[in-house]
Structures are given as C-alpha cells and as structure tokens.
Amino acid sequence: MPTAFTTTVLSLSTGATETVTDLTRDCQIFLDEAAAGRDGLLNVFVPHATAGVAVLETGSGSDEDLLAVLHDLLPADDRYRHRHGSPGHGRDHVLPAIVPPYATLPVVGGRLELGTWQSVCLVDTNRDNPERQVRLSFLG
C-alpha cells in the first residue's frame, strides 16, 4: 500500500521574462504514482519569496491577463523599499501576498479534481531568479 504522505520537488527554469507556467501535467504525473488511485489532497508549494501558485485557465489569454493585472497592481518601478536586484524587484517580494506560494487541491480516485478550464500554475515575475523549485506533496 502506498504511504499516506509522499512528496517530490520539481526543478524548473522560468527564463528571463515574467511567466505563468502550467504545472497541471507535472502534478498529475506525480499523482499517478503517489496517489495510486486513492483520494486525498495535493499541496503545491513554491519555497521562494518572489513567486506564487495560481489556479486559472491557461492558453486563452488568462495567463497574460494575470500578468497584466499584476503590472497594474504592482508596477515595476522604484516605489518599493526593497531595492536590490533589477529595477522594481521590490514588487516581486509583494507578489506572494496577492498570489500565495501554495495551493491545496482535492484528489479523487488518483486524479486532480480541477474544473474544466482550470490549471495549476507557477506565477513568476522575478526576472533575477529563473531557477525555481516546486514541492508537490500528496496526503491520502
């Protein structure tokens, strides 16, 4: 019988631009083995001070819309007290207060229970750190 708690870490390179990266396939691949057909919870956690996890539709413009809204809410300029890194980098440290660094999602029969158009995504506005880790943990 699989263990009640299983975890793994994904290593990703998000590049030098702001990005929304779809993790849904990676989550399901992990669940295929970790959940083994069981019910439980998937926790997705980004251990970074400048990235977040969102559940949203991708591929239809919503990912670009999210980045545009974040630009409106958190302009990349010199208004921030946190000033190391590229200009406006302080906004990247405020991002996790708006897009939290975690999501906990239901798993039923080993499958991630998302709505028809929902995807699990890494949101990364920090151009100074393109190497990211995402911890996937299944509790079943």
Side-chain angles (χ1 to χ4, degrees):
M1 176 175 189
T3 60
F5 180 80
T6 307
T7 190
T8 193
V9 176
L10 304 174
S11 294
L12 307 167
S13 181
T14 56
T17 60
E18 298 174 357
T19 186
V20 175
T21 304
D22 191 337
L23 302 173
T24 310
R25 183 173 180 271
D26 295 307
C27 291
Q28 190 56 58
I29 289 169
F30 168 70
L31 289 171
D32 288 344
E33 184 174 323
R38 296 177 297 148
D39 296 349
L41 296 172
L42 174 68
N43 183 264
V44 182
F45 176 69
V46 184
H48 299 284
T50 58
V53 176
V55 177
L56 74 152
E57 181 179 6
T58 60
S60 65
S62 297
D63 29 3
E64 291 89 0
D65 289 342
L66 173 60
L67 292 174
V69 166
L70 291 173
H71 267 276
D72 290 345
L73 291 173
L74 302 170
D77 57 24
D78 65 354
R79 71 183 70 203
Y80 305 96
R81 291 182 183 101
H82 188 108
R83 293 182 183 247
H84 75 82
S86 61
H89 175 65
R91 81 178 191 115
D92 299 328
H93 287 274
V94 177
L95 174 77
I98 296 170
V99 181
Y102 59 88
T104 301
L105 304 161
V107 176
V108 177
R111 305 294 302 170
L112 195 53
E113 280 291 297
L114 293 172
T116 302
W117 303 112
Q118 290 179 316
S119 296
V120 181
C121 299
L122 169 67
V123 179
D124 188 0
T125 60
N126 183 357
R127 298 177 310 229
D128 294 340
N129 182 8
E131 303 305 317
R132 297 298 186 172
Q133 293 187 333
V134 179
R135 178 170 294 280
L136 304 178
S137 300
F138 175 72
L139 178 62

